[in-house]
Amino acid sequence: PKEIFLKDYKSPDYYFDTVDLRFSLGEEKTIVASKITVFPRVEGSSAPLVLDGVDLKLISIKVDGKELKEGDYHLDSRHLTLPSPPEGKFTLEIDTEIQPQNNTSLEGLYKSSGNFCTQCEAEGFRKITFYQDRPDIMAKYTCRIEADKLLYPVLLSNGNLIEQGTLEGGKHYAVWEDPFKKPCYLFALVAGQLESRDDTFVTRSGRKVALRIWTPAQDVPKTAHAMYSLKAAMKWDEDVFGLEYDLDLFNVVAVPDFNMGAMENKSLNIFNSKLVLASPETASDADYAAILGVIGHEYFHNWTGNRVTCRDWFQLSLKEGLTVFRDQEFSSDMGSRTVKRIADVSKLRNYQFPQDAGPMAHPVRPHSYIKMDNFYTGKFLLYMGAEVVRMYKTLLGTQGFRKGMDLYFKRHDGQAVTCEDFFAAMKDANGADFANFLLWYSQAGTPVVKVTSSYNAEAHTFSLKFSQEVPPTPGQPVKESMFIPVAVGLLDSSGKDMTLSSVYHNGTLQSVASNNQPVLSTVLRVTKQKEEEFVFCDIFERPIPSLLRGYSAPVRLESDLSDSDLFFLLAHDSDEFNRWESGQVLARKLMLSLVADFQQSKPLTLNPKFVQGLKSILCDPSLDKEFIAKAITLPGEGEIMDMMEVADPDAVHAVRTFIRKELASQLKSEFLSTVENNRSSEEYVFDHPNMAGRALKNTALAYLGSLEDSEITELALHEYKTATNMTDQFAALSAISQKPGKTRDDVLADFYTKWQHNYLVVNKWFALQAMSNIPGNVENVRKLLNHPAFDLRNPNKVYSLIGGFCGSPVNFHAKDGSGYKFLGEIVLQLDKLNPQVASRMVSAFSRWRRFDESRQTLAKQQLETIMSANGLSENVFEIASKSLA
Ligand code: HT7
Ligand code: ZN
């Protein structure tokens, strides 16, 4: 496999102006005829024209209407080359045959539940026809689709429908024209038996946009929330960024077989059904929230990704980081900002810290790759990219950021650009000094920021001294210091924010006031590696600093705050994110010290102050209920293992289980009344107060479920039977499933019987069992592989069952290697069907060096077996080989 480097980027020798595609869709074969107008970048160029093409059968090729003979071109398994194309502008016509019905990779054109659909990002278009499959080739497309009318009554592509009609032999056709230039990764086609939910949105300039969400007929009633989300997103983008939709039609299609969440194809978004279909009985609050966020995300791409796209795939975070940031802000505005930030930071930590510390570490803009798809798999690039965009906003403020966005669109609409172009727009629009901010794009590794504080009672000054270190990562042994925006507030002894007026930095006095008004929070610009001091003036008592408010930069913070400072912040910080964070820091410290006790066979005891701290949060009626739910949830086992020299899954699991049980038994009556007082109303409402109540009730129920107590089993069974929505029903099922036994078996069987006809609910049932910590669960998971509802070809099922299993530290990392062996076998089977899904699964091995020697040996064996397999895909090769390197 060939590694591709950013430094080797070259502008294409040829551009495409118009692309006319004609699809003749069939059961045995599909014919794709393309007609492209080509022009050279440099007048008079005689460079060869190299087209990408994979798994294609070439039928014919014509240049300016003249058929080429063998010898006039070269064809290999990946490219079609014209060694000497004509000078100047010419037309290229290529007929190709493909077999979408046999395409299990789910990239290019494939079939899902009998319908045709496409997935072209990142490099799937080359599986449809020969093309320069790179995002800096932007062209105007028309697409004619011809197919059997009964089997495929609906024919969709990008843009506007300009013609349709019937043909002989029971066929029909439709012609679509997209007036906007686009890269081929945004091309889409759908043909099948679908029905739509229709609505309209009138843009602020008065354009009436037809909105259609397409699914199989029986699922149309489940698209109401997706439609609500789409209209909310369209309105939000107008209100917050002044961005209007630009066509008269916006289609969304839901398909059950999809490698990722969704795809932002111009005016024809294609979605994994999981992120469209919802009804209160079948979808949880988390599903509802995910649909809102992802519908928003794909819609927002219309401007950030489609109108302005990436020059090359190394710039992926230009569109993904920015669009993830935009969807995060959208969801924050639609619900609770703090809770959303907590959820996003938790996700970031789950992807950022492990990846940054492992063999797959790479910067936000990678320097090289073998298979581009692997960057989506890690999610790092998406979430970390969003953090980089968030830092611009932190530094510039809401208005400054908006100015930067306006300039970005003004300069680059219709272009394929780079991260530097985005940086320049932000900088130029604000005349900002961003120091070496660009390093965030090129330097890998999570900076570790250390802070110490001291108070001078005589001078009335408070000093914060920072130092930073970026750990070495593969290929980057030595690091430069980064520009880190650190948002800070100071709490007085009553827990209120002190007013901040001025601060000395590097010996110069700077005002921190905004519009001459003192402020309660300020952003410090930390740039140096060694000690960098900020001294706050006019501070009349020793404050407790609230550092990195709202997680203002994606770093690991190590401060000298004592436990009592942290308890104080947990109780009082006006920055709710930091309230949560203080609780998490305390919990992490506690868990790590108990892990050490466990490893030394010491008895485990729980610090009463910790119980008290959690109790006061749990019982504080002034707090948002979802915030409470988050604040009383312990850090995950993965997060704690990441902080250990040698990860010990058994010890971490034992400790987390111990703390949960201990909290449940000491706070049993509080948890019981929390359940009692927060039962859902009969009617399901998707809004923050209702979701928050359910989140709190179900967190309490989960704690109670850890107890060996028949009263609790009865309670959970009651909750299960009386639940009126999936959130509550599944939470009760999860609480019951914590302990093996007849009740668990019966309720799991009941749940399956009830929901066997809904594949999305059945996937939840698979995931719940797969993630179980019951010892030896690998055998149960192996059995489930043969369950009639399971299918290795469907990514959602694989993510639920196999992905769920790999997320359970005790069983995946079982000492006897049974978990590793299971995954090794599955990866090889999967790789033959769907390399993208296989590479997602194999990445569970990538941190094998973090474990003890015996686990290392067992995991390494599996990786080596995978590497030695014949015909391994590039996707799996890249992850497995980098993991072993
Ligand atoms: N932009 C979309 C990327 C995507 C993708 C990438 C590789 C393989 C399959 C894929 N499906 C969708 C995702 C998004 O931005 O939501
Ligand atoms: Zn995206």
Side-chain angles (χ1 to χ4, degrees), residues 170-182:
K171 293 191 172 186
H172 70 149
Y173 74 96
V175 183
W176 291 82
E177 182 184 68
D178 185 350
F180 289 95
K181 282 199 304 175
K182 65 169 175 282

Side-chain angles (χ1 to χ4, degrees), residues 51 74 115 149 169 240 362 434 462 542 578 618 638 685 710 881:
L51 305 175
H74 297 304
N115 296 332
K149 193 171 180 181
V240 177
H362 59 76
F434 281 139
F462 179 70
R542 180 188 173 263
N578 263 7
L618 178 62
V685 186
S710 59
S881 61

Side-chain angles (χ1 to χ4, degrees), residues 389-598:
V389 174
R390 188 172 293 281
M391 286 191 284
Y392 285 110
K393 189 175 171 204
T394 301
L395 290 163
L396 297 172
T398 304
Q399 280 175 10
F401 184 72
R402 170 71 194 268
K403 274 206 240 160
M405 290 289 282
D406 290 350
L407 185 60
Y408 175 63
F409 295 122
K410 193 166 161 219
R411 282 182 177 171
H412 301 298
D413 189 10
Q415 296 176 5
V417 303
T418 64
C419 298
E420 276 86 1
D421 293 315
F422 185 77
F423 173 86
M426 286 288 151
K427 190 166 153 38
D428 297 349
N430 292 281
D433 166 17
F434 281 139
N436 63 346
F437 187 86
L438 276 175
L439 216 52
W440 281 105
Y441 291 100
S442 57
Q443 191 164 267
T446 310
V448 178
V449 176
K450 294 195 174 138
V451 196
T452 55
S453 59
S454 59
Y455 179 60
N456 185 331
E458 275 159 32
H460 303 308
T461 56
F462 179 70
S463 141
L464 289 173
K465 279 190 189 146
F466 289 84
S467 65
Q468 56 164 298
E469 199 176 324
V470 187
T473 47
Q476 287 189 333
V478 183
K479 301 294 168 87
E480 285 176 48
S481 63
M482 314 274 278
F483 170 20
I484 300 170
V486 180
V488 172
L490 304 180
L491 272 64
D492 68 18
S493 51
S494 71
K496 292 221 168 55
D497 278 322
M498 295 177 162
T499 51
L500 310 175
S501 51
S502 50
V503 60
Y504 271 104
H505 179 215
N506 296 336
T508 359
L509 189 64
Q510 294 167 358
S511 164
V512 294
S514 151
N515 298 330
N516 285 331
Q517 294 297 309
V519 293
L520 304 177
S521 204
T522 188
V523 178
L524 306 177
R525 294 165 59 107
V526 174
T527 54
K528 297 209 171 66
Q529 192 151 12
K530 288 271 150 15
E531 249 177 39
E532 185 166 17
E533 189 176 26
F534 295 83
V535 182
F536 291 87
C537 308
D538 305 324
I539 304 296
F540 296 101
E541 61 171 311
R542 180 188 173 263
I544 309 282
S546 166
L547 303 163
L548 206 68
R549 283 188 152 173
Y551 200 57
S552 60
V555 300
R556 280 185 200 253
L557 184 76
E558 291 178 9
S559 76
D560 60 354
L561 290 176
S562 66
D563 283 3
S564 74
D565 291 341
L566 290 165
F567 278 115
F568 188 82
L569 290 166
L570 175 64
H572 300 291
D573 201 333
S574 66
D575 184 80
E576 279 200 343
F577 176 85
N578 263 7
R579 263 186 104 164
W580 170 79
E581 180 73 335
S582 310
Q584 295 290 301
V585 175
L586 283 163
R588 289 197 285 263
K589 278 177 147 186
L590 175 81
M591 288 169 84
L592 283 170
S593 88
L594 288 177
V595 163
D597 290 348
F598 180 89

Side-chain angles (χ1 to χ4, degrees), residues 105-107 118-124 185-186 258-265 270-271 275 294 297-298 301 306 313 316 319-320 323-324 327 372-377 382 799 836 840 875:
S105 71
L106 314 189
E107 51 173 355
T118 52
Q119 172 53 41
C120 296
E121 188 177 1
E123 295 177 334
Y185 81 85
L186 292 173
F258 203 75
N259 283 345
M260 304 259 292
M263 180 62 212
E264 69 263 24
N265 316 299
I270 299 182
F271 271 66
L275 288 159
V294 180
H297 179 97
E298 306 310 330
H301 266 312
N306 301 5
W313 289 120
L316 184 68
K319 77 173 178 81
E320 292 303 341
T323 308
V324 169
D327 86 55
M372 186 53 214
D373 311 323
N374 285 333
F375 285 124
Y376 301 81
T377 299
L382 280 66
Y799 300 149
Q836 285 182 10
R840 258 174 114 154
N875 302 60

Side-chain angles (χ1 to χ4, degrees), residues 30-215:
T30 286
I31 304 297
V32 186
S34 79
K35 183 172 184 180
I36 307 172
T37 49
V38 185
F39 64 97
R41 181 169 52 87
V42 179
E43 203 55 44
S45 153
S46 61
L49 170 61
V50 184
L51 305 175
D52 304 290
V54 172
D55 298 341
L56 304 175
K57 187 167 156 197
L58 179 67
I59 299 174
S60 68
I61 168 164
K62 288 183 193 156
V63 169
D64 284 335
K66 235 183 99 198
E67 180 137 4
L68 298 191
K69 289 187 245 26
E70 262 178 54
D72 294 341
Y73 58 87
H74 297 304
L75 185 63
D76 64 30
S77 63
R78 291 167 169 271
H79 299 109
L80 169 63
T81 307
L82 272 64
S84 44
E87 267 189 26
K89 198 165 179 163
F90 63 96
T91 60
L92 180 64
E93 288 167 85
I94 304 177
D95 287 1
T96 315
E97 182 188 314
I98 52 177
Q99 296 188 339
Q101 69 280 7
N102 296 330
N103 179 357
T104 56
S105 71
L106 314 189
E107 51 173 355
L109 180 64
Y110 65 94
K111 289 191 94 174
S112 175
S113 286
N115 296 332
F116 285 93
C117 65
T118 52
Q119 172 53 41
C120 296
E121 188 177 1
E123 295 177 334
F125 196 74
R126 63 188 63 188
K127 288 187 157 190
I128 295 178
T129 184
F130 292 97
Y131 201 80
Q132 292 192 91
D133 189 355
R134 45 189 286 173
D136 54 358
I137 299 294
M138 295 178 81
K140 283 195 183 162
Y141 285 63
T142 57
C143 175
R144 183 183 187 281
I145 311 165
E146 186 178 310
D148 186 279
K149 193 171 180 181
L150 275 181
L151 292 175
Y152 310 104
V154 175
L155 306 174
L156 305 173
S157 189
N158 317 86
N160 303 314
L161 178 64
I162 54 167
E163 199 188 321
Q164 59 185 329
T166 48
L167 297 166
E168 275 176 10
K171 293 191 172 186
H172 70 149
Y173 74 96
V175 183
W176 291 82
E177 182 184 68
D178 185 350
F180 289 95
K181 282 199 304 175
K182 65 169 175 282
C184 65
Y185 81 85
L186 292 173
F187 169 78
L189 174 156
V190 171
Q193 296 187 5
L194 298 162
E195 296 210 351
S196 62
R197 172 184 293 274
D198 296 358
D199 210 325
T200 47
F201 179 85
V202 181
T203 67
R204 62 179 190 168
S205 69
R207 178 196 286 276
K208 198 167 159 201
V209 184
L211 309 176
R212 294 203 184 111
I213 302 185
W214 299 87
T215 68

Side-chain angles (χ1 to χ4, degrees), residues 204 233-244 300 303-304 322-323 325-330 333 389 393 397-409 422 426:
R204 62 179 190 168
M234 294 177 89
K235 173 85 173 59
W236 184 87
D237 219 12
E238 291 186 351
D239 292 347
V240 177
F241 287 105
L243 297 172
E244 263 187 47
F300 301 144
W303 279 95
T304 51
L322 179 54
T323 308
F325 168 77
R326 276 154 51 69
D327 86 55
Q328 290 175 347
E329 288 294 289
F330 167 58
D333 287 345
V389 174
K393 189 175 171 204
T398 304
Q399 280 175 10
F401 184 72
R402 170 71 194 268
K403 274 206 240 160
M405 290 289 282
D406 290 350
L407 185 60
Y408 175 63
F409 295 122
F422 185 77
M426 286 288 151

